Amino acid sequence: MKRVYVNEEWCLGCHLCEYNCAYANSGLKDMVVALKDKKIFPRIRVEGEDRITFAVSCRHCTDPICVKSCIAGAISKRDGVVRIDRNKCVGCLTCVLVCPYGALAPGEDGIMQKCELCLDNACGAPACVTGCPNRAIVYEERSETQ
Amino acid sequence: MGVEFIYPEFEVVRNYDRCIACRVCERQCANEVHFYSEERGVMISDEAKCVDCQRCVSLCPTRALKIVKSDSTLRENANWQNDTIKEIYKQANSGGVLLSSMGNPKPLPVYWDKILINASQVTNPPIDPLREPMETQVFLGKKPSRIERGKDGKIKCELPPQIALSLPVMFSAMSYGSISYNAHASLARAATELGILYNTGEGGLHEDFYKYGKNTVVQVASGRFGVHEDYLNAGAAIEIKMGQGAKPGIGGHLPGAKIVGDVSRTRMIPERSDAISPAPHHDIYSIEDLRQLVFSLKEATQYKKPVIVKVAAVHNIAAIASGIARSGADVIAIDGFRGGTGAAPTRIRDNVGIPVELALAAVDKRLRDEGIRGNVSLVVGGSIRSAADVIKAVALGADACYVATAALLALGCHLCRTCQSGKCNWGIATQRPDLVKRLNPDIGSARLVNLMTAWRHEIMEIMGGMGINSIEALRGNRLMLRGVGLNEKELEILGISHAGE
């Protein structure tokens, strides 16, 4: 399946992906309305500093440990995409504890949120990828071993 | 401050209604114009540092930024214009030679814009390049002036070495050092995909790029940086750089700050040492000396590579070209006074040399008159901006064009003309690793291929309009050109008639 991959060689650390993510998931039509004067809660985070930076979001693991660990059964995997049912989440943070990538974090409302590849929002394709100015984030099919 | 103060040239206009303080502008500006005020919770800018490279404007996700020319003005004066006065101030402040980058921005005549192209009507039908074959391939090199036969009566087919180009365009010389690794990678990959050549410039060839050798011109300049046997044999052709259009008669100086890591290794000079190219080649003071270098290079490459001699367009260019055509060189490259550079003294860039259109017409005519046009191919450069410029150059007598500024624009250059600072925000004219990575060669090479593919389409359309189906049939075909707004002397030098004639 297609996944979001990061080529850290080309990541500029501009953090645009974070803002595009927050905007894409805001459900609003205007980025200014969505993000101005607000703390953002993106589902992708740029890590590293100075010379090496890279964006991290959910890897949609083949055998996701977050799904197994969720005490409320809120996280599931459908069509290869790890999704979270925010109505079921009880905010126990177990997923945060187990995720090796730090890909889950509470949203503005305290309920857990994660990258769902923009499949359910208005973008239809990952906004972090579309908005990356240097093709450092790509959305493509790769073999499992790569 | 005080008498030294010069009001900033640009203003950064931020639409605070749109700015979401994402700080992308701050992170992307190597000149450190933008910063975030924790106290006020807003972005602020120090426009004094702005060079108008448009990086922040291009990356701002809410289009909250624009850069405008400052309207803070000195009292108007047609003789002492604002820029002139500010240059005086700068020199009074520093005592130094003014430095500039890229091509001459002065409103000097652009003859390409005063030349119009013909098209067929009624008597000679135009050709539709989408339906009929159209040849844009050219070969550069010495052409035999007559057919020769062997003792058996068969035609001798051996030609001197030739360069094949899928369209009459090459990327001109920009050294590794003056531009980045990723810029070179983009040019090399694009040239290979397009079937044309790029040029190493005088900084040697990075070991990673030897694999693109078939599409590389390796340059030998007065500094001889990075020149060794493998280097000479790596390319498809060798270019001796005698001069550059942006700074005829001037050498080069790549500051030690840029001679780091691979640049130092590729140039074969110590890290942090200034790379100074002398104004002359110290072994060339005559055409005979040039001939010696041409044949030394041919000897080193078993006479398999054509040798290009690149000169700046200067007053005596026709006679110089005549000499070069007799020196054994295979190609003459002429660089006009609007050509770009990574750094040149402003006064030289803006005042020395002549327009390449006139130089080309004069050289082509001189070589024809002397019966030695076939000795060499002619390549012209120095601000070839479009497919139309290429067509006009070919019709004036060029075999191909050198293109560099247009190629850099495709890579992201916004012509802010501050290459000399080494802080190129687009990852082109810099060696700072965090800036170099901003140019992803996957994107860069694809954009170069796009640009040249578009030009090739346009070249075919224009040729088709003229009823010409091969670029060879256009070369030197000055009947296809007419001048507008040119005086008798200009028309005479260009060898074209005025529109209406």
Side-chain angles (χ1 to χ4, degrees), chain B residues 109-115 313 334 336-338 354-363 380-385 389 392-393 396 478 493-494:
Chain B
V110 179
Y111 284 95
W112 301 131
D113 294 340
K114 297 180 177 194
I115 297 175
I334 308 169
F337 81 141
R338 284 189 307 271
I354 64 170
V356 75
E357 302 91 327
L358 302 178
L360 165 63
V363 168
V380 294
S383 192
I384 299 289
R385 304 156 302 169
D389 288 357
K392 290 169 189 175
L396 276 181
R478 298 190 194 182
I493 295 166
L494 289 167

Side-chain angles (χ1 to χ4, degrees), chain B residues 426-491:
Chain B
W426 293 91
I428 300 168
T430 179
Q431 299 303 324
R432 253 174 63 176
D434 59 321
L435 300 178
V436 171
K437 74 191 310 195
R438 293 182 182 183
L439 174 54
N440 180 344
D442 288 346
I443 301 173
S445 59
R447 290 178 57 81
L448 287 167
V449 170
N450 279 347
L451 177 72
M452 285 301 129
T453 307
W455 281 24
R456 185 160 181 270
H457 280 301
E458 290 176 339
I459 288 170
M460 292 198 292
E461 286 286 352
I462 300 172
M463 287 201 317
M466 289 185 275
I468 289 173
N469 63 6
S470 161
I471 196 93
E472 300 275 343
L474 179 65
R475 183 177 324 116
N477 194 343
R478 298 190 194 182
L479 287 172
M480 288 297 153
L481 302 177
R482 287 291 186 273
V484 277
L486 296 175
N487 64 35
E488 291 277 350
K489 193 69 189 174
E490 291 168 320
L491 292 167

Side-chain angles (χ1 to χ4, degrees), chain A residues 12 134, chain B residues 24-34 49-59 411-414 416 418-419 421-430 432 434-439:
Chain A
L12 311 175
N134 208 32
Chain B
V24 167
C25 48
E26 180 187 14
R27 294 187 189 98
Q28 289 295 299
C29 183
N31 298 306
E32 300 176 337
V33 169
H34 306 279
K49 296 171 181 166
C50 179
V51 298
D52 194 15
C53 76
Q54 298 278 323
R55 179 76 183 180
C56 57
V57 174
S58 306
L59 264 77
L411 291 179
C413 169
H414 280 59
C416 71
T418 42
C419 314
S421 74
K423 292 193 284 192
C424 176
N425 272 320
W426 293 91
I428 300 168
T430 179
R432 253 174 63 176
D434 59 321
L435 300 178
V436 171
K437 74 191 310 195
R438 293 182 182 183
L439 174 54

